Amino acid sequence: MDKEEQLLRRRLLDLANTSYYKGICVFSDFLNLNEQNIFLSMKSELPAIQYNFFGGFPDAERKMLCFYGNDRITGQEEIPFPITCIRISPRNKRFSDSLTHRDFLGAILSLGIDRSKLGDILVKEKEGYLFCTSSIHAFITEQLIKVKHTMVNAAVIEQEDFHYDPALKEITGTVSSVRLDSILSVAFRSSRSSMAGLIQGGKVYVNSREVVSNSYVLKDHDVVSVRGYGKFIYIGTSYQTKKGRYSVKVLLYT
């Protein structure tokens, strides 16, 4: 266990204890998939307390963690997550660069903001939608005026005004067995051996949990994230061919 992981574990345990002994909601910064996985591995160390993840919208990858000991809270919708959505739009779309996730992230980080204060960034038709810790939204909307070579406006929008319809590409293929490495090879059109290396290298997460076994069997509608490759929903098998191979289908986020 490296020093960074030790610090994360200590910080999350401190938050859990604060919530437990004071009976209040406390929130972490945004956690990436690896950090979420570390937390899930340390649940046995926590006091008897409830927790929930949320990133601002249902399919978010980077999420805040909330600890709460209030029995009156019965669902995620009742937790006051301090998350704000900011729409970043070109002042003149006609002359705007074709902006990418990396462009938006780079411009925001150049303001001196720590990555842990930022959630997901979604790019749609030259606009970016940033989810961030509410305490910094005023700074971002005031200071962010340019992304790449494009002048932009940054404004807070209400989360109920944010509509996310992910672009999903249906991919099908046949596999000899429904092992994780086989499904990854279908989703990303790559060899099983290269996918096996990613799994063993700790780069594959199923429902935010790290999976390091090539033979892991996915369940229908599991969400699989692969660092450096992307994310997909495993739909399942539809039939078995005469040669005994399984027809599988995934929905790849594009």
Side-chain angles (χ1 to χ4, degrees), residues 88-104 107 123-128 145-152:
I88 306 167
S89 52
R91 295 182 184 177
N92 189 327
K93 283 190 177 182
R94 182 179 177 185
F95 299 106
S96 168
D97 293 317
S98 181
L99 301 174
T100 66
H101 179 279
R102 177 175 293 185
D103 295 328
F104 284 107
V123 181
K124 182 179 180 182
E125 297 177 356
K126 295 188 177 181
E127 291 186 330
I145 60 173
K146 182 185 287 189
V147 176
K148 204 172 180 180
H149 305 296
T150 300
M151 302 302 293
V152 299

mmCIF file of all heavy atoms in Angstrom, residues 88-104 107 123-128 145-152:
data_model
loop_
_atom_site.group_PDB
_atom_site.id
_atom_site.type_symbol
_atom_site.label_atom_id
_atom_site.label_comp_id
_atom_site.label_asym_id
_atom_site.label_seq_id
_atom_site.Cartn_x
_atom_site.Cartn_y
_atom_site.Cartn_z
ATOM 1 N N ILE A 88 -20.376 25.380 -20.176
ATOM 2 C CA ILE A 88 -19.312 26.174 -20.786
ATOM 3 C C ILE A 88 -19.575 26.199 -22.287
ATOM 4 O O ILE A 88 -19.499 25.163 -22.958
ATOM 5 C CB ILE A 88 -17.933 25.558 -20.489
ATOM 6 C CG1 ILE A 88 -17.746 25.363 -18.978
ATOM 7 C CG2 ILE A 88 -16.817 26.438 -21.054
ATOM 8 C CD1 ILE A 88 -16.565 24.481 -18.613
ATOM 9 N N SER A 89 -19.908 27.359 -22.809
ATOM 10 C CA SER A 89 -20.313 27.445 -24.215
ATOM 11 C C SER A 89 -19.513 28.516 -24.954
ATOM 12 O O SER A 89 -19.184 29.567 -24.391
ATOM 13 C CB SER A 89 -21.810 27.752 -24.317
ATOM 14 O OG SER A 89 -22.144 28.884 -23.545
ATOM 15 N N PRO A 90 -19.178 28.263 -26.213
ATOM 16 C CA PRO A 90 -18.452 29.259 -27.012
ATOM 17 C C PRO A 90 -19.287 30.529 -27.179
ATOM 18 O O PRO A 90 -20.510 30.466 -27.324
ATOM 19 C CB PRO A 90 -18.257 28.560 -28.364
ATOM 20 C CG PRO A 90 -18.439 27.108 -28.088
ATOM 21 C CD PRO A 90 -19.433 27.029 -26.977
ATOM 22 N N ARG A 91 -18.621 31.663 -27.169
ATOM 23 C CA ARG A 91 -19.343 32.914 -27.391
ATOM 24 C C ARG A 91 -19.838 33.007 -28.829
ATOM 25 O O ARG A 91 -20.841 33.653 -29.104
ATOM 26 C CB ARG A 91 -18.431 34.102 -27.055
ATOM 27 C CG ARG A 91 -18.055 34.156 -25.573
ATOM 28 C CD ARG A 91 -17.191 35.357 -25.239
ATOM 29 N NE ARG A 91 -16.770 35.324 -23.837
ATOM 30 C CZ ARG A 91 -15.961 36.215 -23.285
ATOM 31 N NH1 ARG A 91 -15.467 37.216 -24.025
ATOM 32 N NH2 ARG A 91 -15.622 36.108 -22.014
ATOM 33 N N ASN A 92 -19.113 32.355 -29.721
ATOM 34 C CA ASN A 92 -19.539 32.309 -31.119
ATOM 35 C C ASN A 92 -19.286 30.895 -31.640
ATOM 36 O O ASN A 92 -18.160 30.547 -31.989
ATOM 37 C CB ASN A 92 -18.771 33.338 -31.953
ATOM 38 C CG ASN A 92 -19.337 33.483 -33.355
ATOM 39 O OD1 ASN A 92 -19.831 32.521 -33.941
ATOM 40 N ND2 ASN A 92 -19.263 34.695 -33.903
ATOM 41 N N LYS A 93 -20.329 30.072 -31.670
ATOM 42 C CA LYS A 93 -20.158 28.674 -32.067
ATOM 43 C C LYS A 93 -19.636 28.532 -33.493
ATOM 44 O O LYS A 93 -18.918 27.586 -33.811
ATOM 45 C CB LYS A 93 -21.488 27.928 -31.928
ATOM 46 C CG LYS A 93 -21.857 27.570 -30.508
ATOM 47 C CD LYS A 93 -23.046 26.625 -30.478
ATOM 48 C CE LYS A 93 -23.366 26.202 -29.056
ATOM 49 N NZ LYS A 93 -24.488 25.231 -29.004
ATOM 50 N N ARG A 94 -19.983 29.478 -34.326
ATOM 51 C CA ARG A 94 -19.586 29.389 -35.735
ATOM 52 C C ARG A 94 -18.072 29.378 -35.893
ATOM 53 O O ARG A 94 -17.527 28.700 -36.768
ATOM 54 C CB ARG A 94 -20.198 30.555 -36.508
ATOM 55 C CG ARG A 94 -19.895 30.537 -37.997
ATOM 56 C CD ARG A 94 -20.558 31.706 -38.695
ATOM 57 N NE ARG A 94 -20.232 31.743 -40.111
ATOM 58 C CZ ARG A 94 -20.611 32.714 -40.938
ATOM 59 N NH1 ARG A 94 -21.339 33.733 -40.470
ATOM 60 N NH2 ARG A 94 -20.276 32.677 -42.214
ATOM 61 N N PHE A 95 -17.379 30.138 -35.049
ATOM 62 C CA PHE A 95 -15.924 30.242 -35.166
ATOM 63 C C PHE A 95 -15.194 29.491 -34.053
ATOM 64 O O PHE A 95 -14.009 29.698 -33.824
ATOM 65 C CB PHE A 95 -15.508 31.716 -35.155
ATOM 66 C CG PHE A 95 -16.086 32.515 -36.293
ATOM 67 C CD1 PHE A 95 -17.128 33.408 -36.072
ATOM 68 C CD2 PHE A 95 -15.619 32.343 -37.579
ATOM 69 C CE1 PHE A 95 -17.674 34.135 -37.121
ATOM 70 C CE2 PHE A 95 -16.156 33.059 -38.640
ATOM 71 C CZ PHE A 95 -17.194 33.958 -38.410
ATOM 72 N N SER A 96 -15.912 28.621 -33.375
ATOM 73 C CA SER A 96 -15.324 27.876 -32.263
ATOM 74 C C SER A 96 -14.440 26.739 -32.757
ATOM 75 O O SER A 96 -14.683 26.138 -33.806
ATOM 76 C CB SER A 96 -16.440 27.304 -31.386
ATOM 77 O OG SER A 96 -15.933 26.356 -30.478
ATOM 78 N N ASP A 97 -13.389 26.446 -31.977
ATOM 79 C CA ASP A 97 -12.617 25.230 -32.218
ATOM 80 C C ASP A 97 -13.513 24.019 -31.943
ATOM 81 O O ASP A 97 -14.537 24.125 -31.265
ATOM 82 C CB ASP A 97 -11.408 25.163 -31.271
ATOM 83 C CG ASP A 97 -10.380 26.241 -31.563
ATOM 84 O OD1 ASP A 97 -10.096 26.474 -32.744
ATOM 85 O OD2 ASP A 97 -9.872 26.843 -30.598
ATOM 86 N N SER A 98 -13.098 22.873 -32.443
ATOM 87 C CA SER A 98 -13.773 21.628 -32.095
ATOM 88 C C SER A 98 -13.193 21.171 -30.757
ATOM 89 O O SER A 98 -12.103 20.599 -30.700
ATOM 90 C CB SER A 98 -13.538 20.575 -33.178
ATOM 91 O OG SER A 98 -14.208 19.389 -32.867
ATOM 92 N N LEU A 99 -13.893 21.460 -29.682
ATOM 93 C CA LEU A 99 -13.350 21.284 -28.339
ATOM 94 C C LEU A 99 -13.585 19.871 -27.815
ATOM 95 O O LEU A 99 -14.649 19.289 -28.002
ATOM 96 C CB LEU A 99 -13.978 22.307 -27.392
ATOM 97 C CG LEU A 99 -13.763 23.776 -27.789
ATOM 98 C CD1 LEU A 99 -14.538 24.700 -26.862
ATOM 99 C CD2 LEU A 99 -12.275 24.124 -27.781
ATOM 100 N N THR A 100 -12.575 19.343 -27.133
ATOM 101 C CA THR A 100 -12.627 17.991 -26.587
ATOM 102 C C THR A 100 -12.640 18.035 -25.063
ATOM 103 O O THR A 100 -12.425 19.087 -24.447
ATOM 104 C CB THR A 100 -11.410 17.177 -27.043
ATOM 105 O OG1 THR A 100 -10.220 17.764 -26.463
ATOM 106 C CG2 THR A 100 -11.280 17.175 -28.562
ATOM 107 N N HIS A 101 -12.855 16.873 -24.469
ATOM 108 C CA HIS A 101 -12.800 16.754 -23.011
ATOM 109 C C HIS A 101 -11.455 17.253 -22.488
ATOM 110 O O HIS A 101 -11.385 17.982 -21.491
ATOM 111 C CB HIS A 101 -13.012 15.289 -22.622
ATOM 112 C CG HIS A 101 -12.956 15.025 -21.146
ATOM 113 N ND1 HIS A 101 -11.765 14.882 -20.458
ATOM 114 C CD2 HIS A 101 -13.942 14.885 -20.221
ATOM 115 C CE1 HIS A 101 -12.020 14.665 -19.181
ATOM 116 N NE2 HIS A 101 -13.330 14.655 -19.010
ATOM 117 N N ARG A 102 -10.383 16.881 -23.168
ATOM 118 C CA ARG A 102 -9.047 17.300 -22.728
ATOM 119 C C ARG A 102 -8.897 18.817 -22.774
ATOM 120 O O ARG A 102 -8.266 19.414 -21.895
ATOM 121 C CB ARG A 102 -7.985 16.634 -23.608
ATOM 122 C CG ARG A 102 -6.563 17.056 -23.272
ATOM 123 C CD ARG A 102 -5.543 16.296 -24.088
ATOM 124 N NE ARG A 102 -5.511 14.890 -23.729
ATOM 125 C CZ ARG A 102 -4.640 14.018 -24.233
ATOM 126 N NH1 ARG A 102 -3.752 14.407 -25.124
ATOM 127 N NH2 ARG A 102 -4.669 12.759 -23.847
ATOM 128 N N ASP A 103 -9.483 19.453 -23.791
ATOM 129 C CA ASP A 103 -9.404 20.915 -23.896
ATOM 130 C C ASP A 103 -10.097 21.583 -22.710
ATOM 131 O O ASP A 103 -9.555 22.507 -22.093
ATOM 132 C CB ASP A 103 -10.053 21.391 -25.198
ATOM 133 C CG ASP A 103 -9.310 20.921 -26.438
ATOM 134 O OD1 ASP A 103 -8.075 20.787 -26.378
ATOM 135 O OD2 ASP A 103 -9.977 20.678 -27.464
ATOM 136 N N PHE A 104 -11.309 21.124 -22.400
ATOM 137 C CA PHE A 104 -12.047 21.715 -21.277
ATOM 138 C C PHE A 104 -11.312 21.479 -19.959
ATOM 139 O O PHE A 104 -11.143 22.398 -19.154
ATOM 140 C CB PHE A 104 -13.461 21.124 -21.200
ATOM 141 C CG PHE A 104 -14.408 21.652 -22.238
ATOM 142 C CD1 PHE A 104 -14.793 20.871 -23.312
ATOM 143 C CD2 PHE A 104 -14.923 22.943 -22.141
ATOM 144 C CE1 PHE A 104 -15.670 21.353 -24.276
ATOM 145 C CE2 PHE A 104 -15.804 23.441 -23.099
ATOM 146 C CZ PHE A 104 -16.175 22.646 -24.173
ATOM 147 N N ALA A 107 -8.143 23.655 -19.608
ATOM 148 C CA ALA A 107 -8.434 25.064 -19.348
ATOM 149 C C ALA A 107 -8.835 25.285 -17.893
ATOM 150 O O ALA A 107 -8.441 26.280 -17.267
ATOM 151 C CB ALA A 107 -9.544 25.539 -20.279
ATOM 152 N N VAL A 123 -19.078 16.534 -23.022
ATOM 153 C CA VAL A 123 -18.961 17.410 -24.184
ATOM 154 C C VAL A 123 -20.096 17.102 -25.148
ATOM 155 O O VAL A 123 -20.321 15.944 -25.516
ATOM 156 C CB VAL A 123 -17.603 17.223 -24.891
ATOM 157 C CG1 VAL A 123 -17.492 18.160 -26.090
ATOM 158 C CG2 VAL A 123 -16.462 17.471 -23.914
ATOM 159 N N LYS A 124 -20.806 18.161 -25.540
ATOM 160 C CA LYS A 124 -21.954 17.991 -26.427
ATOM 161 C C LYS A 124 -22.080 19.209 -27.332
ATOM 162 O O LYS A 124 -22.300 20.322 -26.862
ATOM 163 C CB LYS A 124 -23.230 17.816 -25.592
ATOM 164 C CG LYS A 124 -24.489 17.584 -26.401
ATOM 165 C CD LYS A 124 -25.679 17.401 -25.472
ATOM 166 C CE LYS A 124 -26.963 17.172 -26.249
ATOM 167 N NZ LYS A 124 -28.132 17.030 -25.351
ATOM 168 N N GLU A 125 -21.900 18.988 -28.634
ATOM 169 C CA GLU A 125 -22.061 20.050 -29.634
ATOM 170 C C GLU A 125 -21.271 21.310 -29.274
ATOM 171 O O GLU A 125 -21.815 22.404 -29.177
ATOM 172 C CB GLU A 125 -23.548 20.384 -29.807
ATOM 173 C CG GLU A 125 -24.367 19.219 -30.338
ATOM 174 C CD GLU A 125 -25.839 19.544 -30.435
ATOM 175 O OE1 GLU A 125 -26.235 20.653 -30.015
ATOM 176 O OE2 GLU A 125 -26.599 18.696 -30.935
ATOM 177 N N LYS A 126 -19.981 21.134 -29.055
ATOM 178 C CA LYS A 126 -19.036 22.214 -28.763
ATOM 179 C C LYS A 126 -19.216 22.836 -27.380
ATOM 180 O O LYS A 126 -18.483 23.755 -27.016
ATOM 181 C CB LYS A 126 -19.093 23.315 -29.832
ATOM 182 C CG LYS A 126 -18.636 22.861 -31.212
ATOM 183 C CD LYS A 126 -18.520 24.032 -32.170
ATOM 184 C CE LYS A 126 -17.988 23.575 -33.524
ATOM 185 N NZ LYS A 126 -17.831 24.703 -34.468
ATOM 186 N N GLU A 127 -20.181 22.369 -26.614
ATOM 187 C CA GLU A 127 -20.367 22.851 -25.250
ATOM 188 C C GLU A 127 -19.853 21.810 -24.262
ATOM 189 O O GLU A 127 -19.875 20.611 -24.538
ATOM 190 C CB GLU A 127 -21.842 23.132 -24.965
ATOM 191 C CG GLU A 127 -22.399 24.311 -25.723
ATOM 192 C CD GLU A 127 -23.822 24.644 -25.300
ATOM 193 O OE1 GLU A 127 -24.549 23.719 -24.890
ATOM 194 O OE2 GLU A 127 -24.199 25.822 -25.383
ATOM 195 N N GLY A 128 -19.397 22.293 -23.111
ATOM 196 C CA GLY A 128 -18.967 21.396 -22.053
ATOM 197 C C GLY A 128 -19.853 21.571 -20.832
ATOM 198 O O GLY A 128 -20.272 22.691 -20.512
ATOM 199 N N ILE A 145 -12.555 32.016 -19.194
ATOM 200 C CA ILE A 145 -12.995 32.822 -20.340
ATOM 201 C C ILE A 145 -12.514 32.252 -21.671
ATOM 202 O O ILE A 145 -12.972 32.682 -22.729
ATOM 203 C CB ILE A 145 -12.522 34.282 -20.208
ATOM 204 C CG1 ILE A 145 -10.993 34.345 -20.133
ATOM 205 C CG2 ILE A 145 -13.158 34.946 -18.993
ATOM 206 C CD1 ILE A 145 -10.437 35.764 -20.162
ATOM 207 N N LYS A 146 -11.601 31.279 -21.616
ATOM 208 C CA LYS A 146 -11.076 30.733 -22.871
ATOM 209 C C LYS A 146 -10.784 29.244 -22.720
ATOM 210 O O LYS A 146 -10.248 28.806 -21.707
ATOM 211 C CB LYS A 146 -9.796 31.462 -23.277
ATOM 212 C CG LYS A 146 -9.206 30.975 -24.606
ATOM 213 C CD LYS A 146 -7.871 31.633 -24.915
ATOM 214 C CE LYS A 146 -8.042 33.080 -25.323
ATOM 215 N NZ LYS A 146 -6.757 33.655 -25.827
ATOM 216 N N VAL A 147 -11.160 28.481 -23.734
ATOM 217 C CA VAL A 147 -10.807 27.068 -23.836
ATOM 218 C C VAL A 147 -10.109 26.886 -25.172
ATOM 219 O O VAL A 147 -10.687 27.176 -26.221
ATOM 220 C CB VAL A 147 -12.049 26.159 -23.752
ATOM 221 C CG1 VAL A 147 -11.653 24.703 -23.964
ATOM 222 C CG2 VAL A 147 -12.753 26.329 -22.413
ATOM 223 N N LYS A 148 -8.857 26.445 -25.108
ATOM 224 C CA LYS A 148 -8.018 26.366 -26.303
ATOM 225 C C LYS A 148 -7.911 27.777 -26.887
ATOM 226 O O LYS A 148 -7.427 28.675 -26.215
ATOM 227 C CB LYS A 148 -8.588 25.352 -27.298
ATOM 228 C CG LYS A 148 -7.565 24.774 -28.261
ATOM 229 C CD LYS A 148 -8.179 23.643 -29.087
ATOM 230 C CE LYS A 148 -7.156 23.079 -30.048
ATOM 231 N NZ LYS A 148 -7.739 21.968 -30.865
ATOM 232 N N HIS A 149 -8.380 28.007 -28.124
ATOM 233 C CA HIS A 149 -8.345 29.354 -28.701
ATOM 234 C C HIS A 149 -9.731 29.987 -28.746
ATOM 235 O O HIS A 149 -9.921 31.021 -29.387
ATOM 236 C CB HIS A 149 -7.772 29.298 -30.125
ATOM 237 C CG HIS A 149 -6.434 28.638 -30.207
ATOM 238 N ND1 HIS A 149 -5.312 29.157 -29.601
ATOM 239 C CD2 HIS A 149 -6.035 27.482 -30.808
ATOM 240 C CE1 HIS A 149 -4.285 28.359 -29.832
ATOM 241 N NE2 HIS A 149 -4.693 27.338 -30.555
ATOM 242 N N THR A 150 -10.689 29.372 -28.070
ATOM 243 C CA THR A 150 -12.083 29.797 -28.157
ATOM 244 C C THR A 150 -12.512 30.562 -26.911
ATOM 245 O O THR A 150 -12.338 30.070 -25.792
ATOM 246 C CB THR A 150 -13.002 28.569 -28.344
ATOM 247 O OG1 THR A 150 -12.645 27.892 -29.552
ATOM 248 C CG2 THR A 150 -14.459 28.985 -28.406
ATOM 249 N N MET A 151 -13.063 31.742 -27.100
ATOM 250 C CA MET A 151 -13.617 32.506 -25.981
ATOM 251 C C MET A 151 -14.943 31.863 -25.572
ATOM 252 O O MET A 151 -15.763 31.499 -26.425
ATOM 253 C CB MET A 151 -13.843 33.965 -26.379
ATOM 254 C CG MET A 151 -12.587 34.680 -26.863
ATOM 255 S SD MET A 151 -11.238 34.679 -25.637
ATOM 256 C CE MET A 151 -11.947 35.736 -24.363
ATOM 257 N N VAL A 152 -15.136 31.720 -24.256
ATOM 258 C CA VAL A 152 -16.311 31.004 -23.768
ATOM 259 C C VAL A 152 -17.020 31.779 -22.663
ATOM 260 O O VAL A 152 -16.447 32.676 -22.034
ATOM 261 C CB VAL A 152 -15.931 29.606 -23.222
ATOM 262 C CG1 VAL A 152 -15.322 28.745 -24.310
ATOM 263 C CG2 VAL A 152 -14.987 29.722 -22.019
#
